[in-house]
Amino acid sequence: MTTLDVNPGAGARRDAAALKQEMAGLFRTKELMAFAVPLVVLVYMAYVFFAFDVPGLWERASLENARTLVSDSYSYKTHVTRDNRDASVSVAIEGERKGSYPEGEAPEWVSLGEITVIDLENGHTVRFGPETVEYDIPGYGTVRATPSRSAGVQAEFPAGDVPDWISSSKNRLAIKTDAGRLTVTRNRSEVFRYFTGWELFFFTLDSPYHGMSASALLGRAASGEAGAIFNDFWTNKMWRHQDVAWAIGETLLMAFLGTIGAGIVALPLAFLATRNFMPIRTLRFATRRLFDFVRGVDSLIWTVVLARAFGPGPLTGALAILVTDTGTFGKIFSEALENVDEKQIEGVASTGAKPVQRYRFGVIPQVTPVLLSQLLYFLESNTRSATIIGAITGGGIGLLLTQAIITQKDWEEVAYYIVLIIVMVMLMDWFSGMLRRRLIQGDPGKPRRDKAKKGEKKNMPFVLP
């Protein structure tokens, strides 16, 4: 017996109600996720805030040290030093022997003699006497210190409390003012005075061209001394321009050899990792895992491993980049090969081409834009990586930068190297971008001319022959 539904609209209403309830549930889930995800992120950030001890980090931070570091990057110190054992006085820029004034010579604000007078300007004057060191400080008075090998440093201060910018102990006196710094110990008394700029950047004190104006140098160069002027600049013992240029060349060489070598090694291996070119599944799986392994280990780790195996040097850095980028390029190239157009390969095969010729004329032209684009991008990126790798392997501008940082004094030299690294990366970025446009897109003006010609042809009136 057949049962007829006397109310066919009831089922439709039940389906609509169920659909409405399901949609309401989806909306509630989305609303809950909209609130839950930001809440989880907020909780995680709060955990990070306390787990990394951000409040303690702020308390331990020294803004004074940061200010001194920044000021050292664009200024230099001239040291006036008195040896308390034999009363000899020397003047050196940054305290280095390579920047020392010849004996008996000093800048105009230092008067050498039995009593050496150091004029720090604005009333600040330091005097190195035969036995006593005096510092006249405007608004405070005169501070006297008598260094002795047996009694230490005996300091005399004006009446009243000793200010915070004076640090005194039995063996050391340190005074820090805006005009300069004075440090007195048992064996040495030293004054630091800051000046803006990078002193001796072009010529050292022993160069005949030191202190000359630009117009005078141009006149000397025009008279036939251009080679000597450049040689004095190129062999500057303080700033080592020749060594810096060589180091930059080593950095670029590491990046170039590592990147290009990785591309050469990865391209044939990429064919072994693709489904459409390698039917053997086991070999395809092994090649892909090899790519995962070499790119899964950071280049810095490969640098340490290879340095132990082959010793330090730029070639070790290039090998570290090559190993890491081989895995990255292998994955990128294999993905590009899996997306090639089979019709183009079939067209080349129809001409009777052999397998190698099919790859050469049917596959390589299709993936060349991807290959060149990635190679040039990684070349620019590896220029930065080679800087850090060079600090480990002992080559390139990274090594000079690390050495300058370790000294903890020549921060203007650190700033110089950082500026060179930034300029080098910017030039590599411009160069790689230009090559990408030329090699991949061709002449930028040519498509526009072709398009214009097509437009002219399209607008030409139709004439019957």
Side-chain angles (χ1 to χ4, degrees), residues 132-156:
T132 304
V133 178
E134 298 180 348
Y135 188 177
D136 295 337
I137 305 174
Y140 179 67
T142 301
V143 178
R144 295 178 177 84
T146 304
S148 172
R149 295 293 299 275
S150 58
V153 178
Q154 300 177 3
E156 302 176 16

Side-chain angles (χ1 to χ4, degrees), residues 154-313:
Q154 300 177 3
E156 302 176 16
F157 304 99
D161 297 333
V162 178
D164 296 335
W165 40 269
I166 296 180
S167 174
S168 178
S169 65
K170 179 181 178 181
N171 298 318
R172 186 174 184 271
L173 170 66
I175 302 175
K176 180 180 179 181
T177 65
D178 294 336
R181 299 181 184 180
L182 170 65
T183 303
V184 182
T185 61
R186 293 172 181 262
N187 300 324
R188 185 173 64 178
S189 302
E190 191 168 23
V191 172
F192 305 155
R193 187 178 178 188
Y194 281 87
F195 293 89
T196 302
W198 291 351
E199 182 64 2
L200 307 184
F201 181 80
F202 295 100
F203 306 104
T204 52
L205 292 170
D206 57 351
S207 172
Y209 306 106
H210 176 260
M212 285 189 179
S213 62
S215 58
L217 286 174
L218 289 175
R220 291 288 191 93
S223 63
E225 299 184 28
I229 293 174
F230 178 78
N231 181 71
D232 275 20
F233 167 78
W234 190 243
T235 58
N236 188 313
K237 297 178 182 178
M238 285 281 290
W239 290 87
R240 301 186 300 170
H241 300 301
Q242 185 177 10
D243 296 338
V244 171
W246 180 263
I248 291 177
E250 285 186 343
T251 301
L252 294 175
L253 183 63
M254 281 192 290
F256 179 81
L257 290 179
T259 306
I260 302 302
I264 295 174
V265 174
L267 182 58
L269 292 178
F271 282 93
L272 303 179
T274 56
R275 296 185 180 90
N276 48 345
F277 293 104
M278 175 47 61
I280 305 175
R281 185 174 182 179
T282 303
L283 184 57
R284 187 171 66 240
F285 176 83
T287 306
R288 290 183 176 181
R289 299 296 76 79
L290 175 64
F291 290 156
D292 294 338
F293 171 71
V294 293
R295 83 171 189 273
V297 180
D298 191 81
S299 58
L300 291 179
I301 300 177
W302 283 119
T303 302
V304 175
V305 173
L306 294 173
R308 293 293 300 272
F310 300 102

